[in-house]
């Protein structure tokens, strides 16, 4: 594999950018009546209009050349073959396996490598057990509240999906997500609970994460103090560290494997809250939607491959246009946690400053990913998107058919999504100064027929593969996260100092703040 900046295409893209620096979307549409058709793509469950991006046919061809020169297809195939592509942790990256149908349903796994053939039966055994348990909990009317205790990938995916699929959730149960070590969060949830009707799910890949273990211990203390007696019935663990869960006193554990990265784990046992909410069939449908996207990514030619096309635009914007952020605007309120989920997925995966060999990179990697649901964002930060000094590519996500029948709400919602994308592109030139909109601001429009388990699965898998592609082009390891370690170590050192007041060896600011906190 070749790092992007060492390819001929990179050089050619730089020269091309110098020529098309002033590329104008309005002129591009005027010159090409078929631009929409030429720059849109249908992937499983997701239609993508890429035509309002600052790229022409030649730029797109050079970006595809870049993908080929970087060996993107070989890198993708290495992941699907179960190779240890997370080389700093010597691990395979096989979250796609969690949504691969069982061998019995597809015939023999003829195409699989040894690793995959040996792991797949374990995956399905665990899935089966987890879904049976989910069904048991759904049928248990005495359990009214399910509390997921986890953070990062052990929180954001399940939380995002349970909210997104609320329409499909069984009635009669409430779902709570506690992640922060800030006790205000757990205390607020506990206030409304009774031990006999609560199920706590302690979700942690490692079962060592400070926040999760602190919250889990406090939840267990609360449970016994409130007269709860049957820990085995009211606590379950979702983890790769079965021994630590047992030591904690949890006997019901659903496991997964080190080849599932935390931020890629909602398809594993970590997805139990989703399975309880939408049921085994719904969860299988979520997996099937993601699997359909896996197959698209694995087999579609690069020209028609949506994760690849999105990643190429990411590189084009980050490294040639110099855009440092991307905004995600889901025009569906049930997707309100999607931007937070994508922040971890993209920024923890691709927020890296060295290449796979540990050499400092001379170019930018992950943009800042941020956003809020539309139309709310329009009344908050869209001002900056339209008239600010920085260009921020926007990603609209809309759904054709709503799940409600309320008046003309959905028509208004879709009209606003289309209008914002249109306004960003067209601008308004006939007024000067404060009322002037430059326009020519890029956006991508992703469209689902409806928001359901299958389309959500496909959408999330699309983002996972796009992040993989961008990381592969940048030549980085998208699957480790060493950058989160230092703060954890320092917090361990500081915590006892908040008792003792010892400031020895601390920098002046930290020492000053500590003294102030203790005064
Ligand atoms: O600190 C970062 C991180 O390791 C994430 O990658 C992960 O999703 C999160 O913490 C939670 O980790 P765990 O599931 O092991 O508790």
């Amino acid at each position: 594999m070749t790092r992007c900046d060492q390819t001929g295409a990179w050089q050619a893209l730089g020269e091309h950018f110098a020529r098309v620096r002033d590329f104008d979307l309005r002129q591009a549409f005027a010159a090409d009546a078929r631009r929409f058709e030429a720059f849109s793509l249908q992937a499983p469950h997701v239609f993508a209009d890429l035509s309002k991006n600052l790229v022409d046919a030649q730029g797109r061809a050079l970006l595809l050349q870049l993908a080929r020169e970087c060996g993107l297809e070989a890198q993708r195939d290495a992941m699907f073959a179960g190779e240890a592509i997370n080389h700093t942790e010597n691990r395979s990256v096989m979250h796609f396996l969690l949504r691969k149908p069982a061998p019995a349903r597809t015939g023999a796994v003829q195409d699989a490598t040894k690793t995959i053939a040996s792991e797949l039966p374990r995956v399905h055994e665990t899935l089966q057990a987890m879904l049976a348990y989910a069904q048991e909990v759904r049928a248990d009317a005495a359990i009214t509240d399910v509390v997921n205790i986890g953070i990062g990938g052990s929180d954001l995916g399940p939380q995002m999906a349970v909210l997104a699929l609320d329409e499909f959730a069984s009635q009669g149960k409430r779902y709570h997500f506690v992640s922060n070590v800030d006790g205000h969060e757990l205390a607020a949830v506990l206030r409304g609970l009774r031990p006999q009707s609560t199920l706590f799910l302690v979700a942690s890949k490692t079962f060592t994460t400070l926040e999760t273990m602190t919250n889990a211990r406090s939840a267990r203390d609360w449970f016994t103090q409130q007269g709860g007696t049957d820990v085995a019935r009211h606590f379950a663990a979702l983890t790769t560290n079965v021994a630590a869960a047992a030591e904690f006193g949890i006997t019901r554990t659903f496991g997964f494997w080190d080849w599932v990265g935390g931020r890629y784990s909602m398809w594993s046992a970590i997805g139990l809250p989703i399975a309880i909410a939408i049921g085994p069939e719904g969860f299988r449908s979520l997996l099937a939607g993601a699997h359909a996207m896996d197959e698209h990514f694995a087999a579609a030619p690069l020209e028609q491959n949506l994760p690849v096309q999105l990643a190429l635009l990411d590189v084009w914007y980050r490294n040639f246009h110099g855009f440092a952020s991307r905004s995600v605007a889901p025009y569906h309120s049930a997707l309100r946690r999607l931007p937070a989920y994508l922040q971890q997925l993209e920024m923890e995966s691709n927020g890296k400053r060295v290449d796979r060999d540990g050499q400092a990179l001379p170019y930018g990697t992950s943009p800042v990913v941020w956003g809020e649901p539309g139309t709310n964002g329009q009344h908050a930060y869209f001002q900056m998107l339209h008239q600010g000094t920085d260009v921020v590519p926007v990603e609209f996500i809309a759904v054709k058919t709503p799940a409600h029948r309320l008046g003309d709400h959905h028509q208004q919602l879709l009209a606003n999504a289309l209008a914002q994308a249109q306004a960003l592109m067209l601008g308004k030139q006939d007024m000067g100064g404060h009322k002037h909109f430059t326009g020519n601001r890029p956006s991508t429009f992703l469209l689902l027929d409806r928001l359901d388990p299958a389309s959500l699965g496909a959408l999330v898998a699309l983002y996972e593969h796009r992040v993989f592609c961008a990381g592969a082009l940048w030549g980085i390891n998208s699957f480790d996260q060493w950058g989160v370690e230092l703060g954890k170590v320092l917090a361990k050192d500081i915590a006892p100092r908040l008792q003792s007041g010892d400031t020895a060896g601390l920098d002046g600011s930290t020492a000053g703040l500590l003294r102030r906190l203790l005064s």
Side-chain angles (χ1 to χ4, degrees), residues 79-83 91-99 113 115-116 119 123 259-261 264:
M79 176 176 76
F80 281 121
E83 287 178 25
R91 287 177 184 164
S92 304
V93 172
M94 299 200 293
H95 45 274
F96 61 87
L97 205 57
L98 299 165
R99 49 236 191 179
T113 64
T115 323
I116 289 176
E119 295 295 310
V123 165
W259 45 259
V260 184
Y264 298 86

Side-chain angles (χ1 to χ4, degrees), residues 40-232:
S40 56
L41 261 178
Q42 178 69 60
H45 300 279
V46 185
F47 173 81
D49 170 19
L50 309 177
S51 65
K52 291 205 261 342
N53 281 292
L54 303 174
V55 69
D56 62 4
Q58 199 188 343
R60 188 167 59 170
L62 287 171
L63 287 166
L64 281 166
Q65 188 187 324
L66 178 74
R68 295 205 167 91
E69 287 184 38
C70 289
L72 181 60
E73 286 153 301
Q75 295 196 58
R76 171 196 65 190
D77 296 347
M79 176 176 76
F80 281 121
E83 287 178 25
I85 60 169
N86 175 0
H87 67 295
T88 60
E89 297 179 305
N90 193 26
R91 287 177 184 164
S92 304
V93 172
M94 299 200 293
H95 45 274
F96 61 87
L97 205 57
L98 299 165
R99 49 236 191 179
K100 197 173 173 74
R105 291 167 57 185
T106 55
V109 198
Q110 281 141 356
D111 61 334
T113 64
K114 259 198 193 144
T115 323
I116 289 176
S118 69
E119 295 295 310
L120 196 54
R122 295 206 284 165
V123 165
H124 281 278
E125 267 162 42
T126 309
L127 177 64
Q128 199 81 5
M130 169 197 152
L131 293 183
Y133 178 63
Q135 189 51 39
E136 209 181 289
V137 175
R138 282 163 67 79
D140 187 344
I143 298 292
T144 56
D145 291 86
V146 178
V147 183
N148 190 79
I149 297 179
I151 196 164
S154 301
D155 165 68
L156 291 163
Q159 189 182 12
M160 176 275 293
V162 167
L163 282 171
L165 301 174
D166 178 57
E167 195 62 33
F168 298 82
S170 63
Q171 301 303 307
K173 297 209 195 304
R174 289 178 291 265
Y175 300 89
H176 313 270
F177 291 84
V178 175
S179 52
N180 204 320
V181 75
D182 180 352
H184 293 104
E185 191 175 41
L186 179 62
V189 169
L190 292 178
R191 262 201 299 278
L193 301 181
R194 291 173 313 138
Q196 64 273 25
S197 54
T198 302
L199 171 65
F200 291 99
L201 303 176
V202 184
S204 174
K205 179 176 171 181
T206 54
F207 225 77
T208 57
T209 303
L210 170 100
E211 291 88 340
T212 303
M213 298 327 297
T214 307
N215 280 322
R217 277 192 294 271
S218 297
R220 191 184 51 191
D221 292 349
W222 170 88
F223 181 78
T224 46
Q225 283 156 15
Q226 298 293 310
T229 47
D230 194 352
V231 171

Side-chain angles (χ1 to χ4, degrees), residues 430-459:
D430 53 353
M431 307 246 241
H434 301 286
K435 296 188 178 172
H436 179 78
F437 291 68
T438 57
N440 206 33
R441 300 204 164 194
S443 68
T444 290
F445 206 101
L446 302 179
L447 185 60
L448 314 180
D449 276 347
R450 57 194 300 252
L451 183 60
D452 59 20
S455 65
L456 182 71
L459 182 68

Side-chain angles (χ1 to χ4, degrees), residues 500-516:
S500 67
D502 176 16
T503 58
L506 290 179
D507 63 89
S509 168
T510 310
L513 288 169
L514 199 129
R515 278 194 293 271
R516 199 159 176 106

